Amino acid sequence: MTKLLIDGKEIEVPAEYTLLQACEAAGAEIPRFCYHERLSIAGNCRMCLVEVKGSPKPVASCAWGVRDCRPGPNGELPSVSTRSPMVKKAREGVMEFLLINHPLDCPICDQGGECDLQDQAMGYGVDTSRFAENKRAVEDKYLGALVKTSMTRCIQCTRCVRFSTEVCGVAEMGATGRGEDMEITTYLESALTSELQGNLVDICPVGALTSKPYAFAARPWELGKTQSVDVMDAVGSAIRVDTRGREVMRILPRVNEAVNEEWISDKTRHVVDGLRTQRLDRPYIRDNGKLRPASWQEAFAAVAAKVGRADGKRIGAIAGDLAAVEEMFALKDLLAKLGSSNLATQSAGAFDPKAGRASYIFNPTIAGIEQADALLIVGSNPRKEAAVLNARIRKRWRTGQLKIGVIGEKADLTYAYDYLGAGSDTLADLAAGKHSFAQVLNGATHPIVLVGAGATARADGAAILAQAAKLAAGVGAIKDDWNGFAVLQSAASSVGALDIGFAPGEGALNAAQMTTAGALDVLFSLAADEIKVPDSTFVVYIGTHGDRGAHRADVILPGAAYTEKTGIYVNTEGRVQIANRAGFPPGDAREDWAVLRALSDVLGKKLPYDSLAALRQAIFKAVPHLMRVDQIAPADATSVGTLAARGGSVDKAGFVSPVEDFYMTNPIARASATMAECSRLASARILTAAE
């Protein structure tokens, strides 16, 4: 620790701090444009100038280390001033330079109201300029479907260049020219390829980079702001949903150091238009092969007529990727009353909740990746399955302290790795110590064995999972203070479903068996759109969009999207999170649990809760850890040993991630025109590369 005097106040800070961090620790406010705490230091903008005693001129506090400060001639503490006349004059001079070429676009700029340059010009700007030359103009650049450019506004802070290179791992942006001719551009004037490029809009301190789909849509002060969580993948990124009236206008990230830091994926951010397209806003019944609008009473009567004639053992339920805990719990209760335990999710068939919680969660936690020194990725493409988590892996890899091995597809994961093999044979060789990477895992202090959907979504997924658990135990990944067995779930609903036991009961049918011809008479589909149901089964679809599941349904009961209900979700690491309601469902659509409660009345199997509070009380009584929001209930590491002992026969085919198209993984994304354009650009890129 090092002692400093900042504005006459003595503080003690770590020696590796920059002067800017030390000043902020002392409570001083330091303006900045180029500095960002998650990016490397550039020292471009000079807005953070402070006065260091003994220095002949102001210094850039972002690029000056605390350890570089020298004591006074008589051993006095290094003294820094952030409010002296010299500092004020220097910052005003810098601001005057920045505004020489900046256009007077504020009334039509999408950054208005959220602009760092606007805010700091209020503090350090003046109402006149001493420069009479014409302002320069810069041609706008094409960056793809998501980021709109107005490069005349650019102040060359290079945040975007550093973000795309360091965080995204896609070195596609840079600066050309010098001085007044300097421009920020993509190297090939083509669309950016990163799944995190939308974050460029957040980190740009001016209006040079703005959101293309959101252009000229609303002003920030018009919007209602609701804190929520993302359900596009199983990471559970913290988000803020901004609404105007009933309409969701945009989705932005919130800071959550334990999960997503301050980044979100492009799918999370830009799926907004899918929330208002192809929506189911009334019940439908299939008559003579065609769906027709119906009343709630008609729809319920049609379901009751079919269920009344069916044997309980020939009734089943499959939950989709976006289902909250509440509706899955209500559906499980309803099926129990109908005499069925045929329950499954479309993405978590390989997992058995009886094996213990540690057998299906990301045990080292997402933040724990930053402690890892060896990582084995089995059957996963984290860049497609969890883009934000992939950025965390890259962050650790950039320190030089993480060695990575991959079993599965060869893919560009934005970091270097050792490709070990394609399938279960390689996993077996590794467990037997026949591969050199086994020594890396054995020699690591905090190794992680990460198992993804490419391994667990297969028919032999349970056996592959057991094999990976056996390997994790064999290489010392399971210790008293560390559990390195990490399951990367692909769906937001998976861990919550397993926590409440939404899985096949003793002797019950799993998802594959339920979707076999002749297995069921009635299937309740909770927005399960990725499954194929035989024609002989009567399908009751509870969902939000006219997607694949609705096309196959015999009765459609319209539900609420994740922004239109308050629901509990559990992310891949087992963290309990709450998605809050930002708007209301369209037309006659209702919250899914309320639809099930009303249906149970008509079926004569009334569920014992009339409110969300009563339903949650029932959930918390059955599964107490779900009441601990934003916490991870401790999982017993012996569950991994139990899982490892199960064994099973495995297929030798290579692991292939089920996420073929990052932008088209669920009904909301498939309804989005923005995601369709991103998907088209990605497909064109793949075709070009193949040629």
Side-chain angles (χ1 to χ4, degrees), residues 389-666:
L389 183 140
N390 193 63
R392 184 82 76 145
I393 296 173
R394 175 175 166 78
K395 179 182 178 182
R396 177 60 176 170
W397 170 80
R398 288 185 71 239
T399 65
Q401 299 175 55
L402 179 65
K403 293 181 179 176
I404 303 169
V406 170
I407 301 176
E409 295 175 287
K410 271 188 177 179
D412 178 8
L413 299 180
T414 73
Y415 39 80
Y417 58 81
D418 294 330
Y419 183 70
L420 311 180
S424 54
D425 283 354
T426 308
L427 194 58
D429 288 347
L430 208 56
K434 296 178 183 176
H435 203 290
S436 59
F437 199 78
Q439 298 171 0
V440 174
L441 291 169
N442 281 311
T445 310
H446 296 116
I448 293 178
V449 176
L450 186 157
V451 187
T456 59
R458 307 186 343 166
D460 61 346
I464 296 288
L465 199 64
Q467 199 176 1
K470 187 176 180 181
L471 171 65
V475 298
I478 318 297
K479 307 173 185 175
D480 291 341
D481 60 341
W482 179 257
N483 184 345
F485 182 67
V487 176
L488 178 56
Q489 299 283 359
S490 60
S493 62
S494 297
V495 176
L498 294 165
D499 277 355
I500 63 171
F502 196 93
E506 198 68 42
L509 304 178
N510 60 26
Q513 292 165 333
M514 280 190 264
T515 51
T516 304
L520 291 183
D521 291 332
V522 180
L523 174 68
F524 288 91
S525 170
L526 199 57
D529 290 86
E530 320 303 323
I531 56 170
K532 290 182 179 177
V533 185
D535 294 339
S536 57
T537 306
F538 184 87
V539 179
V540 181
Y541 179 79
I542 305 168
T544 60
H545 285 72
D547 203 69
R548 301 166 186 168
H551 293 172
R552 172 59 192 86
D554 294 287
V555 174
I556 295 174
L557 305 176
Y562 71 105
T563 57
E564 298 158 1
K565 62 188 176 189
T566 300
I568 297 171
Y569 289 89
V570 188
N571 78 347
T572 191
E573 57 181 351
R575 185 182 302 275
V576 181
Q577 298 175 302
I578 298 280
N580 289 310
R581 182 169 63 194
F584 292 89
D588 292 335
R590 296 291 181 268
E591 291 185 41
D592 304 60
W593 75 267
V595 171
L596 290 163
R597 165 64 183 80
L599 177 61
S600 71
D601 224 347
V602 177
L603 296 177
K605 307 290 183 182
K606 186 174 178 180
L607 294 174
Y609 22 79
D610 295 328
S611 67
L612 184 63
L615 170 56
R616 283 189 175 160
Q617 285 302 315
I619 294 171
F620 297 154
K621 186 175 179 182
V623 191
H625 76 256
L626 290 178
M627 72 174 73
R628 295 196 282 275
V629 178
D630 205 32
Q631 294 181 38
I632 302 172
D636 187 356
T638 57
S639 302
V640 182
T642 306
L643 180 64
R646 293 194 169 186
S649 60
V650 298
D651 187 347
K652 293 188 178 181
F655 302 132
V656 179
S657 174
V659 183
E660 294 177 13
D661 188 340
F662 170 76
Y663 300 102
M664 294 280 153
T665 54
N666 60 61

Side-chain angles (χ1 to χ4, degrees), residues 106-130:
C106 297
I108 59 156
C109 178
D110 269 323
Q111 197 84 340
E114 298 171 317
C115 177
D116 292 352
L117 187 62
Q118 268 187 339
D119 295 343
Q120 292 180 35
M122 289 295 291
Y124 301 100
V126 292
D127 60 353
T128 57
S129 174
R130 288 173 287 177

